[in-house]
Structures are given as C-alpha cells and as structure tokens.
Coordinates of all heavy atoms in Angstrom, one line a residue:
S1 N 1.3 6.0 4.3 CA 1.8 6.4 5.7 C 2.1 5.2 6.4 O 1.7 4.1 6.1 CB 0.8 7.3 6.4 OG 0.5 8.5 5.6
L2 N 2.9 5.5 7.5 CA 3.4 4.4 8.4 C 2.4 4.1 9.6 O 1.9 5.3 10.2 CB 4.8 4.7 8.8 CG 5.4 3.8 9.9 CD1 5.7 2.4 9.3 CD2 6.7 4.4 10.3
R3 N 2.2 3.0 9.9 CA 1.5 2.7 11.2 C 2.3 2.0 12.1 O 2.9 0.9 11.9 CB 0.2 1.7 10.8 CG -0.6 1.5 12.0 CD -1.8 0.6 11.5 NE -1.3 -0.7 11.2 CZ -1.4 -1.2 9.8 NH1 -1.7 -0.5 8.9 NH2 -0.9 -2.4 9.5
L4 N 2.6 2.7 13.2 CA 3.5 2.0 14.3 C 2.8 1.4 15.3 O 1.7 1.9 15.9 CB 4.3 3.2 14.9 CG 5.4 3.8 14.3 CD1 6.1 4.9 15.1 CD2 6.5 2.8 13.9
E5 N 3.3 0.2 15.7 CA 2.7 -0.5 16.9 C 3.6 -0.1 18.0 O 4.7 0.3 18.0 CB 2.8 -2.0 16.6 CG 2.0 -2.5 15.5 CD 0.4 -2.2 15.6 OE1 -0.1 -2.3 16.7 OE2 -0.2 -2.0 14.6
I6 N 3.1 -0.4 19.2 CA 3.7 -0.1 20.5 C 5.1 -0.8 20.6 O 6.1 -0.3 21.2 CB 2.9 -0.4 21.6 CG1 3.5 0.4 22.9 CG2 2.7 -1.8 22.0 CD1 3.5 1.9 22.8
T7 N 5.4 -1.9 20.0 CA 6.5 -2.7 20.0 C 7.5 -2.4 18.9 O 8.6 -2.9 18.9 CB 6.2 -4.2 19.9 OG1 5.4 -4.5 18.8 CG2 5.4 -4.6 21.3
D8 N 7.1 -1.5 17.9 CA 8.0 -1.1 16.8 C 9.2 -0.2 17.4 O 8.9 0.6 18.2 CB 7.2 -0.5 15.8 CG 6.4 -1.4 14.9 OD1 6.6 -2.5 15.0 OD2 5.4 -0.8 14.4
Q9 N 10.3 -0.6 16.7 CA 11.6 0.2 17.1 C 11.8 1.2 16.0 O 12.0 1.0 14.9 CB 12.8 -0.6 17.2 CG 12.7 -1.7 18.3 CD 13.9 -2.6 18.3 OE1 14.8 -2.5 17.4 NE2 14.1 -3.5 19.2
I10 N 11.5 2.5 16.4 CA 11.7 3.7 15.5 C 13.0 3.7 14.9 O 13.1 4.2 13.8 CB 11.4 4.8 16.4 CG1 10.0 4.8 16.9 CG2 11.6 6.3 15.5 CD1 9.7 5.9 18.0
K11 N 14.1 3.3 15.5 CA 15.4 3.4 14.9 C 15.5 2.6 13.5 O 16.2 3.0 12.8 CB 16.5 3.0 15.9 CG 16.5 1.5 16.2 CD 17.6 1.2 17.2 CE 17.5 -0.2 17.7 NZ 18.5 -0.5 18.7
R12 N 14.5 1.5 13.4 CA 14.6 0.8 12.1 C 14.2 1.8 11.0 O 14.5 1.3 9.9 CB 13.6 -0.3 12.3 CG 14.0 -1.3 13.4 CD 13.0 -2.5 13.4 NE 12.8 -3.2 12.1 CZ 11.8 -4.0 12.0 NH1 10.9 -4.1 12.7 NH2 11.8 -4.7 10.8
I13 N 13.5 2.8 11.2 CA 13.1 3.8 10.1 C 13.7 5.1 10.1 O 13.3 6.0 9.5 CB 11.6 3.8 10.0 CG1 11.1 4.2 11.5 CG2 10.9 2.6 9.4 CD1 9.9 5.2 11.3
A14 N 14.9 5.2 11.0 CA 15.3 6.5 11.1 C 15.7 7.2 9.9 O 15.5 8.4 9.9 CB 16.7 6.4 12.2
D15 N 16.2 6.6 9.0 CA 16.7 7.2 7.7 C 15.6 7.5 6.8 O 15.7 8.5 6.0 CB 17.5 6.2 6.9 CG 18.9 5.8 7.5 OD1 19.3 6.8 8.5 OD2 19.5 4.9 7.4
D16 N 14.4 7.0 7.1 CA 13.1 7.2 6.3 C 12.3 8.4 6.8 O 11.4 8.9 6.2 CB 12.3 6.0 6.1 CG 12.9 5.0 5.2 OD1 13.9 5.4 4.5 OD2 12.4 4.0 5.1
L17 N 12.5 8.7 8.1 CA 11.5 9.7 8.9 C 11.2 11.0 8.2 O 10.2 11.4 8.1 CB 12.0 10.0 10.2 CG 11.7 8.8 11.3 CD1 12.5 9.2 12.6 CD2 10.3 8.5 11.5
H18 N 12.2 11.6 7.4 CA 12.1 12.8 6.7 C 11.2 12.7 5.7 O 10.6 13.6 5.2 CB 13.5 13.3 6.3 CG 14.1 12.5 5.2 ND1 14.8 11.3 5.6 CD2 14.1 12.6 3.9 CE1 15.2 10.8 4.5 NE2 14.8 11.5 3.4
S19 N 10.9 11.5 5.1 CA 10.1 11.3 3.9 C 8.8 10.7 4.2 O 7.9 10.5 3.3 CB 10.9 10.4 2.9 OG 10.9 9.0 3.5
I20 N 8.4 10.6 5.5 CA 7.1 10.0 5.9 C 6.3 11.1 6.2 O 6.4 11.7 7.3 CB 7.3 9.0 7.0 CG1 8.2 7.8 6.6 CG2 5.9 8.4 7.4 CD1 8.6 6.9 7.8
P21 N 5.0 11.3 5.5 CA 4.3 12.5 5.7 C 3.4 12.3 7.0 O 3.1 13.2 7.6 CB 3.4 12.6 4.5 CG 3.4 11.3 3.9 CD 4.7 10.6 4.2
L22 N 3.0 11.1 7.3 CA 2.1 10.9 8.4 C 2.4 9.6 9.1 O 2.8 8.5 8.4 CB 0.7 10.8 7.9 CG -0.3 10.6 9.0 CD1 -1.7 11.4 8.7 CD2 -0.8 9.1 9.1
I23 N 2.6 9.6 10.4 CA 2.7 8.3 11.2 C 1.6 8.1 12.0 O 1.1 9.0 12.7 CB 3.9 8.3 12.1 CG1 5.2 8.4 11.2 CG2 3.9 7.0 12.9 CD1 6.4 8.4 11.9
A24 N 0.8 7.0 11.9 CA -0.3 6.7 12.6 C -0.1 5.7 13.8 O 0.7 4.9 13.7 CB -1.3 6.0 11.7
V25 N -0.6 6.1 15.0 CA -0.2 5.4 16.2 C -1.5 5.0 16.8 O -2.6 5.8 17.0 CB 0.6 6.3 17.1 CG1 0.9 5.6 18.4 CG2 1.8 6.9 16.4
D26 N -1.6 3.8 17.2 CA -2.8 3.2 17.9 C -2.9 3.4 19.4 O -1.9 3.0 20.2 CB -2.8 1.6 17.7 CG -4.1 1.0 18.1 OD1 -5.0 1.6 18.7 OD2 -4.3 -0.3 17.8
F27 N -3.8 4.2 19.8 CA -4.0 4.6 21.2 C -4.9 3.8 21.9 O -5.5 4.1 23.0 CB -4.4 6.2 21.3 CG -3.2 7.0 21.5 CD1 -2.4 7.3 20.3 CD2 -3.0 7.6 22.7 CE1 -1.3 8.2 20.4 CE2 -1.9 8.5 22.8 CZ -1.0 8.7 21.8

C-alpha cells in the first residue's frame, strides 16, 4: 500500500490510484 506524507502531490500517482488498495495517511 501507499503511505502519503502531507507534502506529497497526489497528481504524481493519479494514473495508479485505481490499483492501490489502501492509502495510509499520517495524522
């Protein structure tokens, strides 16, 4: 799964989003 940081730009993975089962976000 993908782990996003607050500074990550989501558009960099826009084409992969449909294939990522889980995105972990640090709160």
Side-chain angles (χ1 to χ4, degrees):
S1 299
L2 175 65
R3 183 180 64 253
L4 283 181
E5 300 296 328
I6 194 63
T7 55
D8 288 339
Q9 296 178 355
I10 299 169
K11 67 181 177 183
R12 293 178 64 198
I13 49 142
D15 294 337
D16 290 346
L17 280 175
H18 67 279
S19 65
I20 302 173
L22 182 142
I23 295 179
V25 182
D26 188 354
F27 264 76

